[in-house]
Amino acid sequence: DITQKGYEKKRAKLLAPFVPQTQSKSHHADFLSAYFHPSLSFFFCMPHNAIVTLINHCLVTLLDVSSASCYVPVCNCFSLRLTFCTLFSPLIVLCILLLDIHTEAVQAALARHKEEKMALPMPTKRRSAFVQSPAENCTPPGGSSSEDEGSLRRRQAAISAMLAQNLQSPEYWINRSVQSSSTSSSASSTLSHGDGKTHNHSQGQTSVIFLSTGVPAHSRVSTKIQQLLNTLKRPKRPPLSEFFLDDFEEIVEVPQPDPNTPRPEGRQMIPVKGEPLGVVSNWPPALQAALARWGATQAKSPALTALDITGKPLYTLTYGKLWSRSLKLAYTLLNKLGTKNEPVLKPGDRVALVYPNSDPGMFWVAFYGCLLAEVIPVPIEVPLSRKDAGSQQIGFLLGSCGVGLALTSEVCLKGLPKTQNGEIMQFKGWPLLKWVVTDTKYLTKPSKDWQPHLPTANTDTAYIEYKASKEGTVMGVAVSKISMLTHCQALTQACNYCEGETLVNVLDFKKDSGLWHGVLTSVMNRIHTISVPYSVMKACPLSWVQRVHVHKARVALVKCRDLHWAMMAHRDQKDTNLSSLRMLIVADGANPWSVSSCDAFLNVFQSHGLTPEMICPCASSPEAMTVAIRRPGAQGTPLPARAVLSMAGLSHGVIRVNTEDKNSALTVQDVGHVMPGALMCIVKPDGPPMLCKTDEIGEIVLNSRAGGTMYYGLPGVTKNTFEVIPVNSGGTPIGDVPFKRTGLLGFVGPGSLVFVVGKIEGLLSVSGRRHNADDLVATALAVEPVKTIYRGRIAVFSVTVFYDERVVIVAEQRPDANEEDSFQWMSRVLQAIDSIHQVGLYCLALVPANTLPKTPLGGIHVSETKQHFLEGSLHPCNILMCPHTCVTNLPKPRQKQPGIGPASIMVGNLVAGKRIAQASGRDLGLIDDQEQSRKHQFLSEALQWRAQTDPDQVLYMLLNAKGVAVSTATCSQLHKRAEKITAALLERGGINTGDNVVLLYPPGIDLIASFYGCLYAGCIPVTVRPPHPQNLAATLPTVRMIIDVSKAACILTTQTLMKILRSKEAAGCVNVKTWPNIIDTDDLPRKRPSNIYKPPTAEMLAYLDFSVSTTGMLTGVKISHSAVNALCRSIKLQCELYSSRQIAICMDPYCGLGFVLWCMSSVYSGHQSILIPPMELETSLPLWLSTLSQYKIRDTFCSYSVMELCTKGLGTQTEALKARGVNLSCVRSCVVIAEERPRLALTQSFSKLFKDLGLSPRAVSTAFGARVNLAICLQVGAKNGTAGPDPSTVYVDMKSLRHDRVRLVERGAPQSLPLMESGTILPGVRVIIVNPETRGPLGDSHLGEIWVNSPHNASGYYTIYGEESLQGDHFNTRLSFGDTETLWARTGYLGFVRRTELLDARGDRHDALFVVGSLDETLELRGLRYHPIDIETSVSRAHRSIAESAVFTWTNLLVVVVELSGSEQEALDLVPLVTNVVLKEHHLIVGVVVIVDPGVIPINSRGEKQRMHLRDSFLADQLDPIYVAYNM
């Protein structure tokens, strides 16, 4: 647990050596502070040993991380007036910020949070989950860093004692209350099956809330949730005005323009013109002509010097050699690759150039050889592996350019990945390439009569330079021959290049400034280029400075990272001299953070001959090439002024000078004037290219002959970028000349100086404000990340979630960083970015070192990182989601209108022409039923009558896993077996009439016989699922609980189970000494009872039906003899069951309709039931389906768990089943018995999977029952249609459903939810849809509670106290308006009735009942009603590794539990995906995401999730989760 006190202590300790010694400030320090910039005085006041320590630490850090990289600013973030600081790099960025002002800004921001004691809940992580972190740094699942072992032991002892006490107390189980969250259903006060009181057990002055499992709610998990709630209660800044319009006609928030938003006030800008392009008399007509001239006249003049890995010259290529080798290559390409009649290459073809950075000479020869052969070179990076980041996009580039040939060197070819046959591997997404080696020994000398064609430069394409877009797509920018020549001329004029100068190039020579200056313009002016490759810079960061010194170079071409590296290592070289330089071109000088690098470098090397006039930042883009460059100044020329801009203004796109808060200022330097011969405008980055005002930030567009001409092969994209015509405020074009978009954001300052503040590709537009990714990186890196992350390995991007962009930061974590340090760093980054940028972070993820996708030169591939994040393949080791803080555009919560009574609602519905939502089955009394069994009031009489009239009729057949009938029961056998059990009960049990008897049997005929034996004895049977022998600890307490609650007088069971009940293992779970009398019914004597009991009235109790609801409530209902009789008759009529019929049942027989079908229906109707215990399917999956086929079954009944087992287990085996002769064409009805919404996706999958086995798509249907009425709907297809039409499916709008409205939409509509009818309403049953709060009837366009009136309603709850109020409320309740006489039972389920176009048996239009979900389980969040299954369906679709999910609420927080089926390293990938999908599809913010192992979510026998048990286990910290994420 992170405390502010601990943080302050650690911070003070770390900063102690660097605190300025104000009392002993020396004269030396005064002198330095006067001479240097004021921001350095703090540094010079440090003790000498502290400076040495700090610099040593910097160097150690620099050499420590060879893998660090990425384009990252780390420097004085806001008022960049400073000095020692640093920068970006596409490769390694180790920015040691020596007291830069950015860090000050961050510290100031963090100080504001000092008073709010941050106690963010730290994520819970399983120790085994991630090997990247040392074990000792992980918090073990059973402990908490804020508690000592003693307190833990005391807590565990208290829990154990309390559990032991309550296990013995039936009153506890009866009266236990599920801890009601404030977000549970609005009807929870009026409808809660069981006692709804909350019990506070007091000991002394302490009040403890108990969960339904008897565990105190103040466990470690709840403590963390309380921390989260406290965090979320902190005052937030007012939400940004955000226009939110949903696709339904509801405007959720009316946009109110913020009066304080800065707006541009200047006049419209005037296009800026560069100086005219000078005319040079001896300028060559083409670049090839320049090479030919120098090759002939200055053959021995050096053109290129390459360095080896140590930084020493390796070879020098003269202009003569360059010319002759290029000539050879051109000749070879055109004449030696194919035959004379069929050449492989012809002029205009595109050729890939694949050369490493360490071999510039081969590249130069290849590039100029292609120009001489008039083929088009496409330089690309060397692919190192098949999985290189962006490799597929390079393939797209090669494909769009039509490249079929690749040139490379022999060394490079050997290093390419090969297949087992030694062939070059086919890279993902690449076209098939032919590889050609261009080493001199493989080239042919041209024949004497062959001369290259050297035409005057024209508009034909000269070369193609690749460019990666923000989305990661790689496109080729085509540069024409005239553009290439003009650009060289413009650079020569702007940089004042002279013939014979020396230039040191540290940049990549294949593209951008490295190519333009170091390969093209240098040849045009016969310049000697010294190429310093990246590998040399890694080994010797000062190598480029040494080359300048040794060769007395006039020009150096670098990036900010090179300045930083040289500055870090300059102590090694005392005698370097840079006075020969006239230009130090900073290629990424357009980066807003480059100013600090330039300043810091100047301060260090000013004593080595460097002057401020030499530093020349420039701005460029692949499309427009060089946009602007600062001209080299003469000694003493005043430096251009700097702009100190307000970041708040920049986020709104306007230029405001920052005068107030230095912490939120950005200092930028100019990049000089626009290029010669060019015309520049600033246009709005969004929408039409309208000219900006003078104080407005916009995109720079350029008109020039020097620049790209198109994206090769992509004409559609080309038009939007290369043919832009700016318009004025009236929408009129300013001319007819096309401009090119540069992708740079900036403005024109005084004196026509160009300022750049960022790039379009780094722009994050959040809630209408623009933020630069580099700015956010700089802030994150100023939060003392040394111990936690690698400075250079960080990526910032935005993802679109819920109608807005959300900011995501991903960084690589150091292997030695512990969990607490990482989490502390992450939480402080959130605060810093929130304070400085006024933008909330959506997600901050840390991944293991070296796992982020790299660009070819080692930087981070941002678009691919984003792709991994969205796909769930990033595999973070730490993650922090903050949706509560940054999602400010949620729809407004629903406000319920007070004072509207049920009568008003009903009248309103009638006025609107809406029907009262009610429906009924056929009338039970009017149906003629000749069956003799109807004359018997009691089921026991029916069995006796059948045993006499048809003794040999087989009623039951029980199958084993092999499909063999292990036992059967005729009417006579069942009757005699029941009599034996009755005799045993009366003899051994000492049973009195009306006593409760528990039946503890596996599914089988013994259970049925015991049931009738109890009826014969006048006892009340209570069926209980037997405990699982391998899992007694989990299953036996439930058995004990039902036995205690039902006050059972004895237990009927088998010998095997009796031994288990009395075993040592059982004694470890429950008190086995207090079992009631246990009677083993395996070997009973042949005795008959003296008489068989007949109840005096049919209203007397027949049996008790106990079931654990999905909310975790154990509920027993009383079923009378008359209800049993009516229910069996209703089912018989609905399903057309007669003695000649056979049905198959594959479901558990312990409660609800499953028990009725298994035990009673056959005795009443006389049909044969084939019984298939579901547990047999575990050893033989095809058992159920092969039984249906073998016995030609027409009607079968199953549970969802059985159907799911077959769908998942047999989905791939349909062909094998077909081969074994399984044929399901005989099946007319396959009915799923459930007390829930029909699982449409599962039933459809089942139908589709087994369609090949002959299963009719219309066969699968559902039934619906509840605790108050075990069978309300049952759909069975019939030949004559008496059972009603096929079940219908509708699509309802989910947004309306949350408002308790039903609005039908088309299939595939956004936010649509498919619902299947829950079956045809049974004969004798009436249902009505009622408002659960007002108890008034509703119209058929409303969602409400289903109330039922039927002769087979249950009589009431079974409680030992006889809670009359609850009985009356749930079983005998009346409408508050309308038909107030009828008595109804409340099902506790929400649904609606819809009149369909189909006709029922009477010829009337069919009223379909749709069940939506349990009222007790609904989540009321933000005034809206949500159904857990809908959220869970969305969550399960979010990632392939999510096996199952469950949701619940706790103290207003939505908790999502996800079962992970993949590897544990995928656990943290699920957190953002789950948060995203719930926000997007349900407009809800997830509070806690819990990742657990498969099988952790408890499921009852009916296949329903036990969400409340899950909640209690989570809060009691009993889940052993892989990871728990607390979203901020």
Side-chain angles (χ1 to χ4, degrees):
D1 295 326
I2 298 164
T3 62
Q4 184 71 19
K5 188 177 176 183
Y7 156 63
E8 290 295 337
K9 190 175 174 183
K10 186 173 284 186
R11 180 175 174 276
K13 187 177 175 184
L14 289 171
L15 294 180
F18 312 129
V19 174
Q21 314 285 315
T22 49
Q23 293 177 349
S24 58
K25 185 174 179 181
S26 65
H27 172 76
H28 180 60
D30 284 334
F31 164 74
L32 288 170
S33 59
Y35 182 79
F36 288 99
H37 196 281
S39 62
L40 280 179
S41 57
F42 176 44
F43 177 70
F44 290 114
C45 294
M46 288 165 54
H48 174 72
N49 60 343
I51 298 175
V52 174
T53 305
L54 187 59
I55 293 175
N56 284 337
H57 176 65
C58 297
L59 290 172
V60 168
T61 311
L62 175 69
L63 300 172
D64 175 18
V65 191
S66 57
S67 64
S69 64
C70 162
Y71 217 68
V72 181
V74 186
C75 53
N76 129 12
C77 166
F78 301 114
S79 21
L80 290 175
R81 299 172 301 167
L82 108 181
T83 67
F84 290 72
C85 82
T86 70
L87 12 277
F88 299 29
S89 147
L91 316 167
I92 216 181
V93 188
L94 291 173
C95 321
I96 315 305
L97 296 180
L98 300 185
L99 311 148
D100 62 355
I101 295 173
H102 190 174
T103 305
E104 290 176 24
V106 170
Q107 296 299 342
L110 292 174
R112 291 176 203 157
H113 294 262
K114 188 172 180 180
E115 293 308 312
E116 308 160 8
K117 297 207 172 176
M118 290 294 292
L120 302 186
M122 217 175 132
T124 307
K125 185 183 290 188
R126 184 186 292 170
R127 187 188 285 270
S128 63
F130 305 96
V131 287
Q132 289 89 2
S133 300
E136 61 271 15
N137 291 334
C138 297
T139 306
S144 168
S145 54
S146 64
E147 292 182 307
D148 59 68
E149 282 186 277
S151 66
L152 275 174
R153 283 200 205 96
R154 286 193 295 278
R155 177 170 299 176
Q156 287 162 354
I159 290 170
S160 305
M162 182 271 306
L163 277 174
Q165 176 193 343
N166 288 325
L167 278 172
Q168 310 309 320
S169 160
E171 290 83 355
Y172 168 74
W173 293 107
I174 293 290
N175 294 311
R176 73 201 176 95
S177 68
V178 174
Q179 173 62 41
S180 299
S181 77
S182 56
T183 56
S184 63
S185 159
S186 57
S188 60
S189 57
T190 56
L191 180 71
S192 176
H193 296 295
D195 184 7
K197 297 171 186 169
T198 302
H199 298 273
N200 285 344
H201 298 255
S202 299
Q203 289 182 345
Q205 299 300 311
T206 311
S207 176
V208 181
I209 297 173
F210 284 87
L211 306 176
S212 63
T213 50
V215 178
H218 62 216
S219 70
R220 179 174 72 143
V221 176
S222 345
T223 308
K224 291 191 173 182
I225 290 180
Q226 194 55 50
Q227 285 180 338
L228 179 56
L229 288 170
N230 293 342
T231 305
L232 298 178
K233 281 177 192 165
R234 284 182 300 131
K236 280 186 245 170
R237 62 175 181 279
L240 299 165
S241 294
E242 172 61 25
F243 183 75
F244 177 91
L245 175 63
D246 218 330
D247 48 12
F248 185 40
E249 62 261 5
E250 65 180 317
I251 295 176
V252 187
E253 192 173 336
V254 179
Q256 297 292 334
D258 183 0
N260 299 321
T261 302
R263 286 181 171 74
E265 298 163 358
R267 56 177 174 76
Q268 187 174 290
M269 78 154 299
I270 300 165
V272 179
K273 213 169 188 176
E275 71 258 35
L277 200 57
V279 180
V280 182
S281 55
N282 62 346
W283 198 251
L287 196 57
Q288 303 93 306
L291 178 59
R293 178 203 290 175
W294 305 131
T297 63
Q298 300 282 344
K300 293 191 176 176
S301 179
L304 169 72
T305 297
L307 305 184
D308 63 14
I309 191 72
T310 64
K312 293 175 181 171
L314 183 64
Y315 62 82
T316 295
L317 191 68
T318 63
Y319 276 96
K321 286 271 176 64
L322 177 61
W323 167 247
S324 64
R325 289 180 189 175
S326 304
L327 213 53
K328 281 183 187 176
L329 179 59
Y331 179 74
T332 305
L333 291 177
L334 293 176
N335 300 291
K336 296 296 177 181
L337 292 185
T339 62
K340 194 169 185 180
N341 296 330
E342 290 185 16
V344 171
L345 279 181
K346 51 189 185 296
D349 286 350
R350 276 75 55 209
V351 174
L353 267 52
V354 186
Y355 293 92
N357 281 357
S358 57
D359 198 354
M362 294 292 285
F363 175 82
W364 279 43
V365 169
F367 190 89
Y368 281 104
C370 288
L371 292 185
L372 290 171
E374 293 189 275
V375 297
I376 301 170
V378 186
I380 60 170
E381 307 299 340
V382 179
L384 300 175
S385 74
R386 198 170 185 278
K387 293 183 179 178
D388 268 9
S391 168
Q392 196 168 352
Q393 281 75 21
I394 291 287
F396 171 75
L397 165 76
L398 298 176
S400 64
C401 294
V403 174
L405 191 79
L407 306 185
T408 189
S409 65
E410 189 173 24
V411 174
C412 186
L413 190 75
K414 285 177 182 173
L416 291 175
K418 310 279 194 310
T419 62
Q420 290 178 339
N421 306 332
E423 297 173 2
I424 290 168
M425 190 177 284
Q426 179 65 26
F427 298 105
K428 190 178 177 184
W430 284 37
L432 201 61
L433 292 181
K434 182 178 179 182
W435 293 83
V436 175
V437 175
T438 61
D439 291 59
T440 313
K441 59 185 174 184
Y442 299 110
L443 303 180
T444 310
K445 191 175 180 181
S447 56
K448 290 182 180 177
D449 58 340
W450 185 84
Q451 283 297 325
H453 184 224
L454 299 176
T456 302
N458 54 23
T459 55
D460 294 344
T461 301
Y463 71 94
I464 294 170
E465 181 174 319
Y466 80 83
K467 176 243 178 176
S469 70
K470 184 179 181 180
E471 292 74 34
T473 314
V474 176
M475 299 174 287
V477 177
V479 179
S480 69
K481 294 172 181 175
I482 190 72
S483 294
M484 180 171 68
L485 186 73
T486 309
H487 189 226
C488 289
Q489 187 179 355
L491 283 177
T492 303
Q493 183 172 327
C495 300
N496 200 15
Y497 281 125
C498 301
E499 193 179 318
E501 282 189 319
T502 304
L503 177 147
V504 173
N505 178 23
V506 193
L507 306 183
D508 181 5
F509 49 73
K510 295 190 287 295
K511 54 184 288 198
D512 296 335
S513 297
L515 175 68
W516 308 329
H517 289 264
V519 180
L520 305 180
T521 310
S522 61
V523 168
M524 186 66 79
N525 292 287
R526 193 177 65 79
I527 288 170
H528 177 200
T529 302
I530 290 107
S531 186
V532 183
Y534 169 53
S535 55
V536 172
M537 288 297 293
K538 273 171 55 172
C540 177
L542 208 63
S543 54
W544 72 269
V545 177
Q546 293 165 351
R547 290 300 104 199
V548 170
H549 170 72
V550 170
H551 292 272
K552 297 202 169 21
R554 301 284 288 144
V555 180
L557 190 58
V558 297
K559 281 192 174 179
C560 288
R561 58 142 206 259
D562 308 315
L563 301 180
H564 172 66
W565 286 347
M567 183 181 71
M568 296 304 301
H570 85 281
R571 293 183 309 130
D572 302 341
Q573 294 292 329
K574 305 290 183 193
D575 55 347
T576 46
N577 193 323
L578 301 182
S579 58
S580 62
L581 281 179
R582 60 180 187 82
M583 267 191 104
L584 178 62
I585 301 174
V586 184
D588 55 352
N591 192 307
W593 306 101
S594 64
V595 59
S596 55
S597 308
C598 296
D599 283 357
F601 185 78
L602 177 63
N603 279 328
V604 172
F605 283 94
Q606 204 152 13
S607 58
H608 296 264
L610 187 71
T611 61
E613 300 81 22
M614 296 176 185
I615 297 176
C616 300
C618 71
S620 62
S621 79
E623 292 84 359
M625 299 168 86
T626 309
V627 175
I629 188 166
R630 193 186 291 170
R631 311 300 195 256
Q635 187 78 25
T637 309
L639 285 175
R642 305 238 167 122
V644 183
L645 307 176
S646 156
M647 289 196 80
L650 288 177
S651 72
H652 291 287
V654 297
I655 302 157
R656 292 290 179 268
V657 174
N658 184 280
T659 53
E660 298 169 3
D661 185 4
K662 70 169 184 177
N663 293 330
S664 57
L666 175 68
T667 302
V668 289
Q669 64 180 351
D670 70 274
V671 287
H673 293 88
V674 69
M675 289 293 282
L679 186 64
M680 187 181 79
C681 295
I682 312 288
V683 300
K684 292 185 186 289
D686 310 313
M690 189 181 293
L691 286 177
C692 288
K693 294 182 178 176
T694 49
D695 61 342
E696 194 173 3
I697 302 288
E699 184 179 7
I700 298 171
V701 294
L702 202 69
N703 167 259
S704 167
R705 284 178 66 194
T709 52
M710 61 176 167
Y711 292 127
Y712 199 93
L714 302 169
V717 197
T718 293
K719 189 168 181 62
N720 298 333
T721 304
F722 292 89
E723 299 168 26
V724 175
I725 302 201
V727 296
N728 59 26
S729 54
T732 313
I734 61 167
D736 53 1
V737 290
F739 285 71
K740 300 177 186 73
R741 290 188 182 274
T742 63
L744 301 175
L745 294 169
F747 61 96
V748 178
S752 299
L753 288 172
V754 181
F755 289 85
V756 176
V757 295
K759 294 183 179 178
I760 292 277
E761 64 183 32
L763 203 61
L764 311 176
S765 293
V766 182
S767 303
R769 295 176 64 189
R770 301 199 290 244
H771 303 275
N772 194 322
D774 293 332
D775 297 351
L776 298 176
V777 170
T779 303
L781 289 176
V783 185
E784 303 168 7
V786 180
K787 287 186 176 180
T788 311
I789 63 158
Y790 290 119
R791 288 184 179 275
R793 307 288 297 160
I794 186 165
V796 175
F797 51 86
S798 64
V799 292
T800 305
V801 183
F802 197 61
Y803 306 97
D804 201 357
E805 294 295 303
R806 314 288 175 193
V807 182
V808 179
I809 295 184
V810 182
E812 285 188 359
Q813 179 177 296
R814 290 175 175 272
D816 54 347
N818 65 40
E819 299 290 329
E820 195 167 332
D821 285 348
S822 300
F823 186 72
Q824 187 174 359
W825 179 78
M826 291 161 84
S827 53
R828 293 175 66 213
V829 166
L830 292 180
Q831 298 165 18
I833 288 179
D834 183 82
S835 291
I836 291 168
H837 301 271
Q838 282 83 53
V839 65
L841 275 190
Y842 182 65
C843 178
L844 183 49
L846 301 183
V847 299
N850 281 318
T851 55
L852 288 181
K854 295 184 176 75
T855 57
L857 289 182
I860 286 184
H861 202 292
V862 177
S863 60
E864 196 140 322
T865 302
K866 177 178 175 178
Q867 194 62 32
H868 286 328
F869 175 80
L870 293 173
E871 288 171 356
S873 55
L874 197 60
H875 306 329
C877 51
N878 271 308
I879 197 161
L880 188 56
M881 297 287 299
C882 307
H884 288 100
T885 17
C886 71
V887 178
T888 56
N889 61 337
L890 283 173
K892 284 182 178 174
R894 178 173 66 158
Q895 302 294 326
K896 292 190 177 178
Q897 299 299 323
I900 297 178
S904 313
I905 294 173
M906 184 172 174
V907 169
N909 284 331
L910 294 173
V911 169
K914 289 173 184 167
R915 211 171 59 88
I916 294 297
Q918 57 187 347
S920 58
R922 293 176 291 159
D923 194 334
L924 196 59
L926 299 177
I927 298 169
D928 185 33
D929 184 6
Q930 302 299 325
E931 191 55 86
Q932 187 72 21
S933 64
R934 199 202 156 190
K935 297 174 183 175
H936 303 292
Q937 266 189 310
F938 307 106
L939 212 52
S940 52
E941 289 181 338
L943 178 56
Q944 295 170 58
W945 172 74
R946 287 197 183 281
Q948 288 169 359
T949 57
D950 196 358
D952 298 325
Q953 160 78 9
V954 179
L955 289 181
Y956 295 104
M957 183 192 298
L958 180 72
L959 303 185
N960 66 6
K962 295 178 180 176
V964 176
V966 284
S967 68
T968 57
T970 63
C971 300
S972 171
Q973 288 168 339
L974 186 61
H975 169 64
K976 286 174 183 173
R977 175 90 176 139
E979 282 187 323
K980 281 189 198 176
I981 291 169
T982 305
L985 267 173
L986 296 172
E987 270 186 32
R988 285 196 248 164
I991 299 296
N992 298 316
T993 303
D995 280 353
N996 296 341
V997 177
V998 162
L999 312 182
L1000 198 67
Y1001 290 96
I1005 291 170
D1006 281 349
L1007 174 68
I1008 302 166
S1010 300
F1011 176 76
Y1012 287 100
C1014 288
L1015 294 187
Y1016 284 3
C1019 302
I1020 313 298
V1022 182
T1023 50
V1024 178
R1025 172 190 300 279
H1028 197 291
Q1030 273 78 48
N1031 194 9
L1032 286 179
T1035 54
L1036 192 57
T1038 307
V1039 174
R1040 178 82 217 199
M1041 179 170 62
I1042 296 175
I1043 290 169
D1044 289 347
V1045 166
S1046 63
K1047 294 287 185 186
C1050 80
I1051 301 170
L1052 295 179
T1053 186
T1054 63
Q1055 238 170 26
T1056 313
L1057 283 167
M1058 187 166 76
K1059 286 176 185 173
I1060 289 173
L1061 290 182
R1062 289 176 172 160
S1063 67
K1064 285 182 182 177
E1065 292 80 8
C1069 310
V1070 296
N1071 186 348
V1072 296
K1073 293 177 182 175
T1074 57
W1075 288 123
N1077 188 9
I1078 302 176
I1079 300 176
D1080 149 30
T1081 60
D1082 281 358
D1083 298 309
L1084 292 174
R1086 294 189 176 183
K1087 285 187 180 178
R1088 295 181 61 185
S1090 54
N1091 68 318
I1092 292 176
Y1093 175 80
K1094 180 179 178 180
T1097 72
E1099 300 311 313
M1100 288 193 67
L1101 211 53
Y1103 73 99
L1104 293 180
D1105 189 302
F1106 271 92
S1107 165
V1108 178
S1109 72
T1110 51
T1111 54
M1113 279 296 191
L1114 173 68
T1115 317
V1117 290
K1118 299 183 286 191
I1119 310 292
S1120 68
H1121 286 282
S1122 63
V1124 167
N1125 195 287
L1127 177 53
C1128 289
R1129 183 159 181 262
S1130 190
I1131 292 171
K1132 174 188 167 164
L1133 293 168
Q1134 187 84 331
C1135 301
E1136 298 179 335
L1137 300 175
Y1138 304 105
S1139 53
S1140 57
R1141 295 282 307 282
Q1142 255 187 339
I1143 66 169
I1145 304 171
C1146 186
M1147 59 190 302
D1148 279 325
Y1150 298 109
C1151 62
L1153 187 51
F1155 175 62
V1156 174
L1157 290 167
W1158 188 284
C1159 286
M1160 301 179 226
S1161 200
S1162 277
V1163 170
Y1164 184 90
S1165 304
H1167 62 273
Q1168 184 183 3
S1169 294
I1170 297 174
L1171 308 176
I1172 306 164
M1175 59 187 175
E1176 302 291 0
L1177 265 63
E1178 292 175 13
T1179 49
S1180 173
L1181 262 178
L1183 173 63
W1184 175 44
L1185 299 182
S1186 54
T1187 303
L1188 300 179
S1189 173
Q1190 181 185 343
Y1191 292 93
K1192 302 279 187 292
I1193 300 293
R1194 282 176 60 191
D1195 298 319
T1196 181
F1197 300 87
C1198 70
S1199 63
Y1200 277 122
S1201 46
V1202 167
M1203 184 171 274
E1204 192 166 23
L1205 206 60
C1206 292
T1207 305
K1208 288 180 178 175
L1210 297 174
T1212 56
Q1213 299 178 30
T1214 48
E1215 289 303 317
L1217 291 172
K1218 207 171 185 178
R1220 284 169 50 183
V1222 175
N1223 184 352
L1224 301 180
S1225 57
C1226 55
V1227 178
R1228 176 189 67 168
S1229 310
C1230 172
V1231 186
V1232 193
I1233 306 298
E1235 293 184 13
E1236 60 176 303
R1237 179 201 297 182
R1239 299 187 199 174
L1240 187 58
L1242 179 58
T1243 55
Q1244 286 179 343
S1245 299
F1246 183 82
S1247 300
K1248 285 177 187 171
L1249 276 174
F1250 300 110
K1251 185 178 68 174
D1252 292 346
L1253 299 181
L1255 182 68
S1256 162
R1258 299 168 58 184
V1260 180
S1261 60
T1262 61
F1264 170 65
R1267 291 282 75 206
V1268 296
N1269 187 311
L1270 303 182
I1272 297 169
C1273 303
L1274 184 63
Q1275 181 87 29
V1276 177
K1279 290 180 289 186
N1280 56 10
T1282 53
D1286 290 335
S1288 54
T1289 300
V1290 296
Y1291 293 85
V1292 298
D1293 179 58
M1294 282 176 73
K1295 293 188 301 301
S1296 302
L1297 212 56
R1298 291 172 203 143
H1299 290 269
D1300 292 341
R1301 296 196 309 271
V1302 178
R1303 175 171 161 256
L1304 298 190
V1305 293
E1306 292 299 316
R1307 180 181 180 175
Q1311 295 274 317
S1312 63
L1313 172 70
L1315 292 174
M1316 185 164 83
E1317 180 186 353
S1318 291
T1320 308
I1321 296 171
L1322 281 167
V1325 177
R1326 288 172 60 199
V1327 296
I1328 188 165
I1329 306 301
V1330 178
N1331 185 316
E1333 288 153 13
T1334 65
R1335 304 194 181 199
L1338 290 170
D1340 60 3
S1341 62
H1342 283 74
L1343 182 73
E1345 187 184 358
I1346 301 166
W1347 287 15
V1348 60
N1349 169 276
S1350 154
H1352 62 255
N1353 276 6
S1355 312
Y1357 290 127
Y1358 180 80
T1359 67
I1360 51 181
Y1361 299 119
E1363 281 276 351
E1364 295 307 322
S1365 61
L1366 214 58
Q1367 306 285 10
D1369 185 46
H1370 288 177
F1371 291 89
N1372 299 301
T1373 190
R1374 288 181 166 86
L1375 294 172
S1376 61
F1377 186 84
D1379 173 12
T1380 55
E1381 296 306 313
T1382 307
L1383 288 177
W1384 301 88
R1386 302 180 63 179
T1387 64
Y1389 283 84
L1390 292 170
F1392 60 93
V1393 169
R1394 206 74 192 179
R1395 177 154 280 187
T1396 65
E1397 297 303 317
L1398 303 168
L1399 300 180
D1400 61 17
R1402 295 178 298 228
D1404 298 331
R1405 283 173 66 188
H1406 171 60
D1407 290 320
L1409 175 66
F1410 295 88
V1411 176
V1412 177
S1414 165
L1415 183 57
D1416 272 359
E1417 283 215 324
T1418 55
L1419 316 173
E1420 193 157 308
L1421 294 163
R1422 311 183 69 256
L1424 305 175
R1425 200 191 301 277
Y1426 290 87
H1427 298 272
I1429 184 66
D1430 298 328
I1431 301 174
E1432 289 159 2
T1433 303
S1434 299
V1435 168
S1436 296
R1437 285 199 312 263
H1439 193 273
R1440 63 184 179 281
S1441 294
I1442 296 177
E1444 189 54 272
S1445 63
V1447 302
F1448 55 83
T1449 54
W1450 178 252
T1451 54
N1452 280 315
L1453 288 176
L1454 179 65
V1455 182
V1456 180
V1457 180
V1458 172
E1459 288 184 356
L1460 173 68
S1461 62
S1463 69
E1464 287 191 353
Q1465 71 172 139
E1466 291 181 307
L1468 276 73
D1469 285 313
L1470 306 184
V1471 177
L1473 297 184
V1474 166
T1475 308
N1476 290 358
V1477 76
V1478 175
L1479 186 55
K1480 178 183 173 187
E1481 296 185 11
H1482 303 280
H1483 306 177
L1484 285 177
I1485 294 176
V1486 177
V1488 184
V1489 182
V1490 188
I1491 315 292
V1492 295
D1493 295 311
V1496 167
I1497 295 173
I1499 289 175
N1500 66 13
S1501 59
R1502 299 187 298 274
E1504 299 163 339
K1505 295 170 191 167
Q1506 303 280 283
R1507 296 182 182 92
M1508 295 305 106
H1509 277 323
L1510 179 69
R1511 182 188 72 181
D1512 296 347
S1513 301
F1514 167 66
L1515 293 168
D1517 207 11
Q1518 295 169 348
L1519 291 184
D1520 184 25
I1522 299 169
Y1523 192 81
V1524 183
Y1526 301 93
N1527 289 349
M1528 295 297 121

